[in-house]
């Protein structure tokens, strides 16, 4: 049995890199097989079952070998018992011969002769044992024959009455021969036991090696299954994680030609589609942001995105401009809808460009009315001047638009009112947002526009005070303003000319306009 097991041994030491390459090639080969995962797993299951059966067969073989070793051990134990019995008989024979020498009587001599015959029969029996070595048994037989011959001589001397000579022969020849025979017997027993122990060790080592080979094959197979199933799943999971973070430019590359390969292709296709959708979404987001910036001021949009609600600000000082197209109602009655919309779009688009140019905020349009705020939503130190500059530019833009539209005989003229003071600003609505302003400042600015004159810029005394001497004003005097009583107002003419303006007394509201300097 030990020879059979010795044929099964582990392969020589293999470098880990070679094992890794082999596993990689086998895994890629299995992954590229055009079969379903269930089929591959079923085949792997059958292989595992075969390995388990092989492992069980090796175990049964090991048990059978151990059983045979047990039988051999029992036989060896019997042989060892026979050898030890031979030693005992030899010792007893020496004692019997010694008694026959020193005790009178023929019965002791006969007993010693019978013991010699028994030892010879025991030697013949040991020579027939299968585990007895021929050379060792020959040496034992030679020593035993020598020993028996000496005993026969001693017995013959005892029968002749030569006891002293027999005693000398016993001490010098028979006793050393008995010791030599005992030494040979012990050495033979030790060799038999050593051979049996070595046989058992070889069998156990061969069984362990075969068992290790089967276990390593099972581990290799399990790792291969894990590699062509878990590996692609891990790559797909990593790709999905990157997709979740917004990375759409990388794809999964797996060698599988099964469901995992189809899944990887679907993930790649989905990633590509998501990337395209994300690009479109970013474009729409930018477009919606641009549209939102057309509706609300940029700082307000940033605050809304930050989650701030509600948005309401107390503005300590700002300037409001109201503009209205004089004669628009009569003009629009002679035009069709498309012409009216085109005219207003052209004019208000110019106004929007002017608002962006002078850094003021367009609030809203109401019909043919246009509303602008300076110093809103972020405060600016020169808000009144910015609004006035836009008012002057609006007059020029209106004249240009009139000529571009070809409105002959009925030129468009804009009536503008401006007032400065504190107000409240905020965002209203949920579906349709609007940024608006409220307060007495807004109402007075609206009154300035209402009580103004077409083609002229009507400002309050508060705005006049903020502008100081940077512009030329016509003092209109005090007029009755609905809800506010008498208020001193001015018409803003133009930028201050370099020549000296002589001061003149302010006339009443109905008197012809005069220029005055505060």
């Amino acid at each position: 049995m030990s020879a059979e097991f010795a044929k099964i041994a582990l392969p020589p030491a293999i470098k880990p890199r070679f094992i890794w390459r082999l596993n990689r090639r086998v895994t890629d080969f299995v992954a590229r097989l055009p079969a379903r995962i269930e089929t591959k797993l079923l085949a792997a299951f059958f292989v595992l079952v075969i390995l388990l059966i092989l492992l069980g067969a090796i175990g049964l073989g090991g048990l059978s070998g151990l059983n045979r070793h047990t039988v051999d051990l029992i036989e060896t134990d019997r042989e060892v018992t026979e050898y030890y019995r031979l030693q005992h008989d030899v010792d007893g024979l020496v004692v019997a011969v010694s008694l026959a020498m020193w005790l009178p009587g023929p019965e002791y001599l006969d007993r010693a002769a019978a013991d010699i015959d028994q030892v010879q029969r025991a030697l013949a029996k040991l020579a027939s044992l299968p585990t007895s070595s021929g050379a060792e048994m020959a040496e034992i037989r030679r020593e035993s024959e020598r020993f028996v011959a000496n005993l026969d001589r001693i017995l013959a001397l005892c029968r002749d009455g030569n006891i002293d000579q027999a005693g000398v022969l016993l001490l010098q020849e028979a006793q050393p021969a008995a010791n030599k025979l005992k030494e040979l017997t012990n050495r033979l027993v030790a060799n038999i036991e050593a051979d049996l122990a070595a046989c058992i060790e070889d069998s156990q080592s061969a069984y362990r090696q075969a068992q290790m080979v089967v276990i390593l094959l099972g581990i290799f197979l399990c790792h291969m299954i894990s590699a062509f199933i878990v590996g692609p799943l891990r790559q797909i999971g990593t790709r999905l994680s990157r997709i979740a973070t917004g990375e759409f430019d990388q794809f999964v590359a797996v060698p599988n030609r099964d469901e995992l390969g189809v899944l990887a292709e679907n993930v790649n296709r989905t990633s590509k589609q998501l990337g395209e959708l994300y690009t479109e979404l970013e474009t729409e987001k930018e477009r919606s942001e641009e549209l939102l910036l057309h509706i609300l001021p940029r700082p307000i949009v940033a605050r809304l995105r930050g989650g701030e609600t509600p948005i309401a600000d107390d503005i300590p000082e700002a300037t409001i401009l109201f503009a209205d197209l004089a004669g628009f109602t009569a003009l629009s009655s002679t035009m069709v809808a498309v012409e009216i919309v085109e005219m207003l779009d052209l004019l208000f688009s110019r106004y929007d460009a002017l608002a962006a140019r002078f850094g003021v905020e367009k609030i809203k349009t109401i019909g043919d009315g246009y509303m602008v705020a300076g110093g809103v939503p972020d405060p600016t130190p020169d808000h009144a001047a910015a609004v006035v500059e836009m008012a002057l530019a609006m007059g020029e833009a209106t004249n240009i638009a009139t000529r571009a539209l070809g409105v002959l005989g009925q030129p468009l003229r804009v009536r503008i009112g401006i007032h400065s003071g504190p107000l409240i600003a905020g965002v209203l609505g949920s579906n349709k947002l609007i940024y608006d302003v409220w307060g007495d400042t807004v109402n007075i600015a609206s009154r300035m526009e209402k009580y103004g004159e077409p083609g002229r810029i009507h400002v309050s005394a508060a705005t006049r005070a903020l502008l100081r001497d940077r512009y030329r004003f016509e003092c209109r005097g005090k007029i009755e303003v609905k809800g506010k009583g008498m208020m001193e107002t001015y018409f803003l003419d133009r930028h201050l000319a370099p020549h000296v303006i002589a001061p003149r007394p302010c006339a009443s509201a109905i008197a012809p306009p005069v220029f005055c300097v505060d």
Side-chain angles (χ1 to χ4, degrees):
M1 185 65 187
S2 61
E4 296 176 359
F5 273 106
K7 297 179 181 179
I8 305 177
L10 283 174
I14 302 177
K15 294 182 179 180
R17 180 177 297 179
F18 173 78
I19 297 177
W20 182 84
R21 289 178 179 176
L22 178 62
N23 187 26
R24 182 65 179 271
R25 292 181 179 179
V26 174
T27 301
D28 291 344
F29 172 76
V30 174
R32 289 189 174 93
L33 290 177
R36 296 173 59 86
I37 294 180
E38 292 86 347
T39 305
K40 297 178 181 179
L41 290 178
L42 184 61
F45 173 75
F46 284 141
V47 173
L48 286 176
V49 170
I50 292 173
L51 288 176
L52 291 176
I53 293 175
L54 180 60
L55 183 62
I58 293 175
L60 292 177
L63 291 176
S64 178
L66 290 176
N67 185 39
R68 284 194 289 271
H69 287 318
T70 302
V71 174
D72 294 340
L73 182 63
I74 293 174
E75 294 296 331
T76 302
D77 184 67
R78 290 177 181 174
E79 295 178 13
V80 170
T81 301
E82 293 295 333
Y83 283 117
Y84 283 133
R85 182 177 298 173
L86 174 62
Q87 293 181 6
H88 180 269
D89 292 342
V90 169
D91 293 337
L93 183 57
V94 172
V95 173
V97 171
S98 299
L99 292 175
M101 287 172 51
W102 305 110
L103 294 177
E107 65 273 11
Y108 293 104
L109 295 176
D110 295 338
R111 185 180 302 174
D115 291 340
I116 291 174
D117 293 337
Q118 184 177 355
V119 169
Q120 290 178 342
R121 288 193 299 271
L123 287 172
K125 183 177 180 181
L126 290 177
S128 62
L129 294 178
T131 57
S132 300
S133 173
E136 293 176 344
M137 282 303 303
E139 187 176 3
I140 290 176
R141 182 171 293 278
R142 286 195 300 272
E143 291 296 330
S144 62
E145 289 177 354
R146 175 186 170 191
F147 175 67
V148 170
N150 290 328
L151 293 180
D152 289 337
R153 290 173 56 192
I154 292 172
L155 291 178
L157 292 173
C158 290
R159 286 190 177 94
D160 295 338
N162 298 324
I163 301 303
D164 295 333
Q165 188 177 358
V168 172
L169 184 60
L170 176 64
L171 294 177
Q172 293 180 354
E173 298 290 339
Q175 188 64 44
N179 294 336
K180 179 66 174 179
L181 184 61
K182 183 176 181 181
E183 179 183 354
L184 292 175
T185 303
N186 289 335
R187 186 169 60 188
L188 179 60
V189 170
N191 291 336
I192 293 174
E193 291 179 347
D195 292 341
L196 181 61
C199 181
I200 294 175
E201 179 63 26
D202 292 342
S203 299
Q204 292 179 348
S205 177
Y207 171 73
R208 285 194 298 269
Q209 291 179 356
Q211 185 182 31
M212 184 61 66
V213 169
V214 175
I215 292 175
L216 289 178
L217 288 176
I219 293 175
F220 181 83
L221 179 62
C222 293
H223 185 270
M224 182 186 67
I225 296 174
S226 174
F228 81 81
I229 294 180
V230 179
L233 286 177
R234 185 182 297 111
Q235 294 183 34
I236 293 172
T238 302
R239 181 69 192 118
L240 291 175
S241 300
R242 292 182 177 179
I243 290 176
T245 58
E247 297 183 15
F248 305 104
D249 56 346
Q250 297 181 1
F251 298 94
V252 181
V254 297
N256 296 59
R257 297 177 60 186
D258 47 29
E259 291 86 347
L260 292 178
V262 175
L263 178 61
E265 293 179 359
N266 292 334
V267 169
N268 292 334
R269 189 181 303 109
T270 303
S271 176
K272 181 179 179 180
Q273 294 174 353
L274 286 176
E276 295 174 354
L277 292 175
Y278 184 78
T279 302
E280 295 177 0
L281 180 62
E282 287 294 322
T283 303
E284 292 297 327
K285 181 180 178 182
E286 293 176 359
R287 187 178 304 170
S288 63
E289 181 178 357
E290 184 178 356
L291 291 175
L292 188 61
L293 291 175
H294 289 166
I295 299 173
L296 301 175
R298 187 178 297 274
I300 299 302
V301 173
R303 291 166 65 181
L304 285 174
R305 286 182 176 176
E308 181 181 350
T309 54
I311 294 181
D313 299 322
D314 287 319
I315 308 298
E317 189 175 76
T319 298
I320 301 297
L321 177 150
F322 274 94
D324 182 71
L325 297 177
F328 175 77
T329 302
L331 180 62
S332 62
S333 63
T334 63
M335 304 171 66
V336 296
V338 175
E339 294 175 338
I340 295 174
V341 173
E342 289 180 350
M343 180 183 67
L344 290 177
D345 180 65
L346 176 62
L347 189 58
F348 286 171
S349 295
R350 293 178 179 270
Y351 291 171
D352 293 343
L354 292 175
R357 173 183 171 188
F358 293 107
V360 296
E361 191 66 39
K362 172 187 174 182
I363 302 300
K364 58 186 174 181
T365 60
I366 305 174
D368 59 337
Y370 194 89
M371 181 181 178
V372 171
V376 176
D378 294 331
T380 55
D382 209 10
H383 54 84
V387 172
V388 168
E389 290 292 336
M390 179 175 176
L392 293 171
M394 286 174 69
E396 297 177 1
T398 304
N399 295 332
I400 295 173
T402 300
R403 292 192 296 270
L405 291 170
V407 184
L408 301 177
Q410 300 184 52
L412 292 176
R413 304 181 69 187
V414 62
R415 183 173 55 241
I416 299 175
I418 300 175
H419 178 64
S420 301
L423 53 82
I424 297 174
V427 177
L428 297 179
S430 57
N431 296 329
K432 293 184 178 181
L433 301 178
I434 181 173
Y435 182 73
D436 208 347
V437 291
W438 305 272
D440 196 42
T441 299
V442 179
N443 296 331
I444 294 176
S446 177
R447 297 291 188 272
M448 292 296 104
E449 179 270 323
K450 181 179 180 181
Y451 294 115
E453 296 179 1
R456 307 198 74 180
I457 302 172
H458 192 202
V459 301
S460 65
T463 303
R464 167 69 180 84
L466 292 175
L467 296 174
R468 296 185 178 89
D469 296 332
R470 298 168 61 180
Y471 300 89
R472 188 183 186 97
F473 294 94
E474 177 185 340
C475 181
R476 191 177 184 186
K478 292 185 179 181
I479 62 174
E480 179 71 24
V481 178
K482 183 180 179 180
K484 301 301 296 182
M486 301 301 293
M487 292 185 65
E488 183 175 316
T489 62
Y490 299 83
F491 284 117
L492 188 145
D493 184 38
R494 55 185 171 80
H495 291 89
L496 186 61
H499 62 274
V500 178
I501 302 174
R504 304 181 71 177
C506 183
S508 63
I510 59 175
V514 297
F515 292 97
C516 60
V517 178
D518 294 347

Tab-separated table of all heavy atoms in Angstrom, residues 483-517:
chain	number	residue	atom	x	y	z
A	483	GLY	N	-52.061	111.956	-2.995
A	483	GLY	CA	-51.647	111.183	-1.831
A	483	GLY	C	-50.448	111.741	-1.116
A	483	GLY	O	-50.104	111.265	-0.029
A	484	LYS	N	-49.748	112.745	-1.679
A	484	LYS	CA	-48.565	113.291	-1.050
A	484	LYS	C	-48.648	114.789	-0.842
A	484	LYS	O	-47.810	115.364	-0.135
A	484	LYS	CB	-47.336	112.991	-1.910
A	484	LYS	CG	-47.090	111.515	-2.140
A	484	LYS	CD	-46.900	110.745	-0.847
A	484	LYS	CE	-45.663	111.180	-0.102
A	484	LYS	NZ	-45.464	110.387	1.117
A	485	GLY	N	-49.609	115.443	-1.479
A	485	GLY	CA	-49.725	116.887	-1.332
A	485	GLY	C	-48.776	117.610	-2.274
A	485	GLY	O	-48.459	117.141	-3.364
A	486	MET	N	-48.329	118.809	-1.849
A	486	MET	CA	-47.457	119.630	-2.679
A	486	MET	C	-46.028	119.109	-2.592
A	486	MET	O	-45.486	118.881	-1.507
A	486	MET	CB	-47.508	121.090	-2.214
A	486	MET	CG	-48.910	121.704	-2.272
A	486	MET	SD	-49.614	121.691	-3.934
A	486	MET	CE	-48.512	122.831	-4.750
A	487	MET	N	-45.425	118.929	-3.782
A	487	MET	CA	-44.045	118.447	-3.848
A	487	MET	C	-43.294	119.278	-4.876
A	487	MET	O	-43.824	119.612	-5.939
A	487	MET	CB	-43.990	116.979	-4.255
A	487	MET	CG	-44.537	116.015	-3.226
A	487	MET	SD	-44.296	114.298	-3.737
A	487	MET	CE	-42.510	114.227	-3.725
A	488	GLU	N	-42.039	119.601	-4.572
A	488	GLU	CA	-41.183	120.321	-5.517
A	488	GLU	C	-40.515	119.312	-6.418
A	488	GLU	O	-39.883	118.365	-5.948
A	488	GLU	CB	-40.143	121.144	-4.768
A	488	GLU	CG	-39.267	121.990	-5.694
A	488	GLU	CD	-38.327	122.881	-4.916
A	488	GLU	OE1	-38.767	123.505	-3.931
A	488	GLU	OE2	-37.143	122.929	-5.280
A	489	THR	N	-40.655	119.509	-7.743
A	489	THR	CA	-40.095	118.575	-8.716
A	489	THR	C	-39.292	119.317	-9.754
A	489	THR	O	-39.340	120.554	-9.842
A	489	THR	CB	-41.218	117.783	-9.407
A	489	THR	OG1	-42.053	118.694	-10.117
A	489	THR	CG2	-42.052	117.005	-8.384
A	490	TYR	N	-38.554	118.536	-10.583
A	490	TYR	CA	-37.668	119.117	-11.583
A	490	TYR	C	-37.765	118.302	-12.870
A	490	TYR	O	-38.060	117.100	-12.852
A	490	TYR	CB	-36.215	119.099	-11.104
A	490	TYR	CG	-35.980	119.899	-9.849
A	490	TYR	CD1	-36.234	119.347	-8.589
A	490	TYR	CD2	-35.498	121.200	-9.934
A	490	TYR	CE1	-36.023	120.083	-7.458
A	490	TYR	CE2	-35.275	121.941	-8.778
A	490	TYR	CZ	-35.541	121.380	-7.546
A	490	TYR	OH	-35.332	122.109	-6.410
A	491	PHE	N	-37.484	118.982	-13.964
A	491	PHE	CA	-37.244	118.303	-15.235
A	491	PHE	C	-35.737	118.252	-15.457
A	491	PHE	O	-35.063	119.288	-15.398
A	491	PHE	CB	-37.907	119.035	-16.407
A	491	PHE	CG	-39.393	118.830	-16.467
A	491	PHE	CD1	-40.266	119.906	-16.314
A	491	PHE	CD2	-39.908	117.565	-16.676
A	491	PHE	CE1	-41.628	119.712	-16.369
A	491	PHE	CE2	-41.288	117.369	-16.740
A	491	PHE	CZ	-42.139	118.436	-16.578
A	492	LEU	N	-35.251	117.041	-15.700
A	492	LEU	CA	-33.816	116.882	-15.978
A	492	LEU	C	-33.613	117.118	-17.475
A	492	LEU	O	-34.225	116.454	-18.317
A	492	LEU	CB	-33.344	115.482	-15.589
A	492	LEU	CG	-31.833	115.231	-15.639
A	492	LEU	CD1	-31.407	114.288	-14.522
A	492	LEU	CD2	-31.420	114.656	-16.984
A	493	ASP	N	-32.738	118.108	-17.761
A	493	ASP	CA	-32.572	118.520	-19.153
A	493	ASP	C	-31.451	117.736	-19.825
A	493	ASP	O	-31.664	117.060	-20.828
A	493	ASP	CB	-32.295	120.024	-19.197
A	493	ASP	CG	-32.218	120.519	-20.626
A	493	ASP	OD1	-33.002	120.022	-21.469
A	493	ASP	OD2	-31.364	121.367	-20.900
A	494	ARG	N	-30.284	117.815	-19.271
A	494	ARG	CA	-29.129	117.167	-19.878
A	494	ARG	C	-27.974	117.248	-18.900
A	494	ARG	O	-28.119	117.785	-17.792
A	494	ARG	CB	-28.762	117.859	-21.197
A	494	ARG	CG	-28.516	119.358	-21.069
A	494	ARG	CD	-28.272	120.011	-22.425
A	494	ARG	NE	-28.254	121.466	-22.329
A	494	ARG	CZ	-27.230	122.189	-21.921
A	494	ARG	NH1	-26.126	121.587	-21.530
A	494	ARG	NH2	-27.299	123.517	-21.886
A	495	HIS	N	-26.801	116.761	-19.329
A	495	HIS	CA	-25.608	116.921	-18.513
A	495	HIS	C	-25.277	118.397	-18.379
A	495	HIS	O	-25.578	119.209	-19.267
A	495	HIS	CB	-24.416	116.200	-19.154
A	495	HIS	CG	-24.543	114.699	-19.121
A	495	HIS	ND1	-25.163	113.998	-20.118
A	495	HIS	CD2	-24.145	113.787	-18.197
A	495	HIS	CE1	-25.136	112.719	-19.833
A	495	HIS	NE2	-24.517	112.552	-18.658
A	496	LEU	N	-24.668	118.728	-17.275
A	496	LEU	CA	-24.331	120.121	-17.015
A	496	LEU	C	-23.310	120.610	-18.042
A	496	LEU	O	-22.265	120.004	-18.226
A	496	LEU	CB	-23.770	120.279	-15.598
A	496	LEU	CG	-23.516	121.713	-15.136
A	496	LEU	CD1	-24.809	122.530	-15.132
A	496	LEU	CD2	-22.874	121.701	-13.755
A	497	ALA	N	-23.662	121.778	-18.712
A	497	ALA	CA	-22.760	122.347	-19.724
A	497	ALA	C	-21.616	123.062	-19.039
A	497	ALA	O	-21.711	123.495	-17.879
A	497	ALA	CB	-23.531	123.312	-20.618
A	498	PRO	N	-20.513	123.289	-19.752
A	498	PRO	CA	-19.362	123.939	-19.129
A	498	PRO	C	-19.580	125.435	-18.851
A	498	PRO	O	-18.860	126.000	-18.054
A	498	PRO	CB	-18.253	123.719	-20.136
A	498	PRO	CG	-18.938	123.504	-21.438
A	498	PRO	CD	-20.212	122.805	-21.116
A	499	HIS	N	-20.598	126.095	-19.519
A	499	HIS	CA	-20.801	127.531	-19.267
A	499	HIS	C	-21.507	127.750	-17.947
A	499	HIS	O	-22.127	126.853	-17.404
A	499	HIS	CB	-21.611	128.162	-20.417
A	499	HIS	CG	-22.992	127.570	-20.555
A	499	HIS	ND1	-23.234	126.434	-21.281
A	499	HIS	CD2	-24.182	127.968	-20.034
A	499	HIS	CE1	-24.522	126.143	-21.225
A	499	HIS	NE2	-25.121	127.077	-20.465
A	500	VAL	N	-21.422	128.982	-17.455
A	500	VAL	CA	-22.002	129.326	-16.155
A	500	VAL	C	-23.496	129.532	-16.322
A	500	VAL	O	-23.959	130.182	-17.256
A	500	VAL	CB	-21.360	130.605	-15.583
A	500	VAL	CG1	-22.000	130.975	-14.261
A	500	VAL	CG2	-19.873	130.392	-15.441
A	501	ILE	N	-24.249	128.954	-15.387
A	501	ILE	CA	-25.707	129.091	-15.413
A	501	ILE	C	-26.104	130.127	-14.378
A	501	ILE	O	-25.837	129.958	-13.188
A	501	ILE	CB	-26.383	127.740	-15.115
A	501	ILE	CG1	-25.916	126.691	-16.136
A	501	ILE	CG2	-27.878	127.873	-15.116
A	501	ILE	CD1	-26.420	125.326	-15.839
A	502	ALA	N	-26.741	131.146	-14.839
A	502	ALA	CA	-27.160	132.216	-13.917
A	502	ALA	C	-28.338	131.761	-13.098
A	502	ALA	O	-29.294	131.200	-13.638
A	502	ALA	CB	-27.521	133.466	-14.697
A	503	PRO	N	-28.308	131.996	-11.824
A	503	PRO	CA	-29.440	131.604	-10.975
A	503	PRO	C	-30.674	132.467	-11.243
A	503	PRO	O	-30.575	133.654	-11.446
A	503	PRO	CB	-28.893	131.828	-9.563
A	503	PRO	CG	-27.841	132.847	-9.723
A	503	PRO	CD	-27.225	132.637	-11.065
A	504	ARG	N	-31.802	131.779	-11.266
A	504	ARG	CA	-33.072	132.474	-11.493
A	504	ARG	C	-34.078	131.937	-10.495
A	504	ARG	O	-34.046	130.775	-10.114
A	504	ARG	CB	-33.564	132.248	-12.915
A	504	ARG	CG	-32.519	132.680	-13.954
A	504	ARG	CD	-33.015	132.476	-15.363
A	504	ARG	NE	-34.045	133.445	-15.661
A	504	ARG	CZ	-34.639	133.537	-16.868
A	504	ARG	NH1	-34.280	132.712	-17.837
A	504	ARG	NH2	-35.567	134.448	-17.088
A	505	PRO	N	-35.014	132.844	-10.068
A	505	PRO	CA	-36.000	132.398	-9.077
A	505	PRO	C	-36.908	131.316	-9.637
A	505	PRO	O	-37.216	131.307	-10.834
A	505	PRO	CB	-36.752	133.674	-8.739
A	505	PRO	CG	-36.586	134.543	-9.941
A	505	PRO	CD	-35.216	134.262	-10.468
A	506	CYS	N	-37.324	130.385	-8.755
A	506	CYS	CA	-38.198	129.280	-9.168
A	506	CYS	C	-39.608	129.803	-9.331
A	506	CYS	O	-40.141	130.494	-8.473
A	506	CYS	CB	-38.157	128.168	-8.118
A	506	CYS	SG	-39.145	126.726	-8.573
A	507	ALA	N	-40.217	129.470	-10.448
A	507	ALA	CA	-41.587	129.916	-10.696
A	507	ALA	C	-42.553	128.881	-10.176
A	507	ALA	O	-42.170	127.839	-9.664
A	507	ALA	CB	-41.775	130.134	-12.189
A	508	SER	N	-43.832	129.203	-10.332
A	508	SER	CA	-44.880	128.285	-9.867
A	508	SER	C	-44.995	127.124	-10.826
A	508	SER	O	-44.416	127.111	-11.921
A	508	SER	CB	-46.216	129.027	-9.767
A	508	SER	OG	-46.587	129.479	-11.062
A	509	ALA	N	-45.844	126.166	-10.475
A	509	ALA	CA	-45.958	124.955	-11.261
A	509	ALA	C	-46.588	125.213	-12.614
A	509	ALA	O	-46.312	124.507	-13.566
A	509	ALA	CB	-46.769	123.910	-10.495
A	510	ILE	N	-47.431	126.256	-12.737
A	510	ILE	CA	-48.123	126.495	-14.000
A	510	ILE	C	-47.428	127.534	-14.831
A	510	ILE	O	-47.826	127.829	-15.938
A	510	ILE	CB	-49.575	126.945	-13.740
A	510	ILE	CG1	-49.597	128.212	-12.898
A	510	ILE	CG2	-50.359	125.825	-13.051
A	510	ILE	CD1	-50.989	128.798	-12.698
A	511	ALA	N	-46.392	128.163	-14.263
A	511	ALA	CA	-45.650	129.177	-15.014
A	511	ALA	C	-44.773	128.504	-16.040
A	511	ALA	O	-44.482	127.300	-15.938
A	511	ALA	CB	-44.812	130.019	-14.066
A	512	PRO	N	-44.318	129.232	-17.053
A	512	PRO	CA	-43.412	128.639	-18.026
A	512	PRO	C	-42.162	128.141	-17.334
A	512	PRO	O	-41.686	128.724	-16.355
A	512	PRO	CB	-43.122	129.815	-18.972
A	512	PRO	CG	-44.268	130.733	-18.804
A	512	PRO	CD	-44.684	130.623	-17.384
A	513	PRO	N	-41.588	127.053	-17.815
A	513	PRO	CA	-40.411	126.484	-17.144
A	513	PRO	C	-39.211	127.381	-17.252
A	513	PRO	O	-38.999	128.037	-18.264
A	513	PRO	CB	-40.178	125.173	-17.907
A	513	PRO	CG	-40.839	125.377	-19.224
A	513	PRO	CD	-42.001	126.282	-18.998
A	514	VAL	N	-38.491	127.496	-16.199
A	514	VAL	CA	-37.259	128.275	-16.155
A	514	VAL	C	-36.162	127.408	-15.585
A	514	VAL	O	-36.419	126.406	-14.923
A	514	VAL	CB	-37.437	129.550	-15.294
A	514	VAL	CG1	-38.483	130.465	-15.919
A	514	VAL	CG2	-37.843	129.190	-13.856
A	515	PHE	N	-34.906	127.772	-15.830
A	515	PHE	CA	-33.755	127.055	-15.272
A	515	PHE	C	-33.329	127.740	-13.999
A	515	PHE	O	-33.252	128.961	-13.933
A	515	PHE	CB	-32.604	127.052	-16.278
A	515	PHE	CG	-32.909	126.223	-17.502
A	515	PHE	CD1	-33.374	126.833	-18.651
A	515	PHE	CD2	-32.741	124.857	-17.476
A	515	PHE	CE1	-33.652	126.086	-19.771
A	515	PHE	CE2	-33.016	124.112	-18.597
A	515	PHE	CZ	-33.475	124.714	-19.757
A	516	CYS	N	-33.049	126.995	-13.023
A	516	CYS	CA	-32.612	127.547	-11.744
A	516	CYS	C	-31.548	126.654	-11.144
A	516	CYS	O	-31.448	125.478	-11.448
A	516	CYS	CB	-33.782	127.727	-10.782
A	516	CYS	SG	-34.623	126.178	-10.412
A	517	VAL	N	-30.760	127.249	-10.301
A	517	VAL	CA	-29.691	126.509	-9.618
A	517	VAL	C	-29.901	126.653	-8.126
A	517	VAL	O	-30.062	127.774	-7.642
A	517	VAL	CB	-28.296	127.054	-10.027
A	517	VAL	CG1	-27.217	126.304	-9.278
A	517	VAL	CG2	-28.105	126.930	-11.522
